[in-house]
Amino acid sequence: MKTRQQTTTTLEDQRIPVQAKLAAAWTSFMFLVIYIDYFHLYQPGEIDEIRGGDIFAFEISGTLISIFFALIAIPTLMVLLSMTLPARVNRATNLVVAVLFIPICVFNAAGASWDWAFYYGFTIGVEVLILAFILRSAWTWPRTAPPADMAMSPELGVIRIKQHD
């Protein structure tokens, strides 16, 4: 009589570099920003207000649109910067930009009616969760210990130790 042996295979979790996690998070954040702005246009009267020359309480101008572009360019560039900056600068940049974008996200609810409170609470909540993920990933960036043949000197930093055979 043959007995069946059950084969169990587990999926292997590959370690994902922090830079890739950060770039993916900024990409997700940007998709949300785009869709949130797009869905905003479905609110009654929004397109008419824009055609009338206003966005929120601001008159549409080249300066205003340039400010909006700069605000969107920053997280867009963070995708690239997260993959290319050296670790120390990358970590600091992600921490600063993510912290600064939390109030920017919350500002999106300014002037909204209570009819849209759930929409703004939900969308801002998801954006802030992604920013929190970015903050956590950058804050807990793994550190590497110097190799065994290295020693720390307060004056010189890392110095190589000669090994005797």
Side-chain angles (χ1 to χ4, degrees):
M1 173 181 273
K2 289 186 178 180
T3 58
R4 276 193 188 180
Q5 288 202 353
Q6 190 174 16
T7 58
T8 57
T9 58
T10 57
L11 298 175
E12 183 180 349
D13 279 330
Q14 296 286 328
R15 185 166 197 144
I16 300 170
V18 178
Q19 296 92 328
K21 287 180 184 180
L22 292 169
W26 283 113
T27 302
S28 296
F29 181 80
M30 285 310 305
F31 274 114
L32 278 176
V33 168
I34 291 165
Y35 276 103
I36 290 167
D37 285 351
Y38 176 73
F39 291 144
H40 175 80
L41 298 175
Y42 284 90
Q43 293 181 28
E46 285 303 315
I47 293 175
D48 292 334
E49 189 176 324
I50 292 168
R51 284 185 182 151
D54 292 323
I55 297 176
F56 301 114
F58 306 108
E59 183 179 329
I60 297 173
S61 66
T63 302
L64 181 67
I65 299 302
S66 296
I67 291 168
F68 287 170
F69 172 78
L71 284 174
I72 294 304
I74 293 168
T76 303
L77 290 172
M78 288 305 298
V79 176
L80 173 68
L81 295 176
S82 293
M83 292 299 291
T84 58
L85 287 175
R88 178 168 280 189
V89 176
N90 199 337
R91 179 178 186 262
T93 304
N94 272 280
L95 289 170
V96 169
V97 173
V99 165
L100 292 176
F101 262 83
I102 291 172
I104 292 169
C105 291
V106 173
F107 178 75
N108 280 327
S113 68
W114 283 107
D115 296 339
W116 291 89
F118 178 76
Y119 170 76
Y120 284 106
F122 186 52
T123 58
I124 291 167
V126 174
E127 285 178 326
V128 170
L129 281 174
I130 291 173
L131 292 170
F133 174 82
I134 291 167
L135 288 168
R136 182 178 177 276
S137 296
W139 186 259
T140 60
W141 195 302
R143 288 166 172 43
T144 58
D149 65 341
M150 301 288 244
M152 295 297 290
S153 164
E155 300 85 27
L156 303 173
V158 176
I159 56 172
R160 195 163 289 280
I161 299 172
K162 277 191 166 183
Q163 292 186 354
H164 300 291
D165 292 325

